[in-house]
Amino acid sequence: MLRIEVFSSDRNELGEGPLWDVEQQRLYWIDSYAPAVYSCDANGGDRKTWKMPEPIGSMALRAKGGAIVSLRNGFYTLDFATGAVELLHETHPGELRPRLNDGKVDRQGRFIAGSMDFEERDPVGTLYRLDPDLSLHTLDTGIVCSNGPCFSPDGATLYFADTGTRKIHAYAYDTATGTVGSRRIFTSFEGLRGYPDGATVDAEGYVWSVEVYSGRLIRFDPNGVIDRIVGLPVQSTTSITFGGPELDIAFVTSMARPFNNQYHREREAGCMFAVHGLGVRGLPEPRFKG
């Protein structure tokens, strides 16, 4: 039976990037504008917080410990023990509008993350790949708002949303090299109420996209056709991951910050939700190998 509960009642200004780590059985997520990284155990206890020096878009856990974080102006390392943050690559030197946003680790342990226009208006964003040797590569450009990167179970398809254009794209992805080939429109949100935001792929190869400004989870089959829609308690939902011991709980972040110059009416805006009973399981999220 479907059950939706508040997992964390902290009202994040812009909750994003939920990430379940199967190794530690812990949930990680971020508040982009706090800015901070958070972590807790499967029951919501043993909470930990790491403050960031500037807005954060996403993070990747490292196989060697710690994390890679995409902050406003570049990729950084994060030491969980000390909280130290050190620059790896500055991505937009001298530019004020772009900032790094959503990211995900591919099946081979590379970190894919894109940037967005801070004003969410112009195509000034770039899609990047950070390799285990810590070299940085450009995969695509001309993006308004990078969101929802995720991979098919075999890793050969990269799904990627440009929230600003209301489309989810699918790239042919070379698993050996991490390069992208042809790009196609996987699905469009033009006929829907909201916009595509964070996303993940379940064990059956279906794409789950969080419809921001509408408060819904939308499950698409591998052909981009809507399979299911699940309503959530707030309109301001932002991103999703599957977690829990059986990878069958959908953890969904949301934001408390105003949008369209209006404050949220829902008192749970900004909370983390746990959705039980969907009848599907997620896939383990890989760690960054660098």
Side-chain angles (χ1 to χ4, degrees), residues 143-219:
I143 300 158
V144 179
C145 183
S146 298
N147 259 316
C150 53
F151 293 86
S152 58
D154 65 2
T157 301
L158 165 61
Y159 300 101
F160 177 76
D162 186 340
T163 303
T165 64
R166 303 186 77 175
K167 293 180 176 63
I168 299 177
H169 298 280
Y171 296 85
Y173 190 78
D174 189 322
T175 58
T177 64
T179 56
V180 294
S182 59
R183 184 181 84 175
R184 60 184 171 85
I185 296 175
F186 174 68
T187 194
S188 173
F189 277 53
E190 289 294 338
L192 299 174
R193 300 192 315 223
Y195 296 73
D197 204 328
T200 192
V201 174
D202 64 28
E204 298 172 16
Y206 285 57
V207 177
W208 290 80
S209 177
V210 177
E211 190 183 22
V212 68
Y213 308 137
S214 178
R216 303 192 299 181
L217 301 180
I218 303 182
R219 188 192 196 216

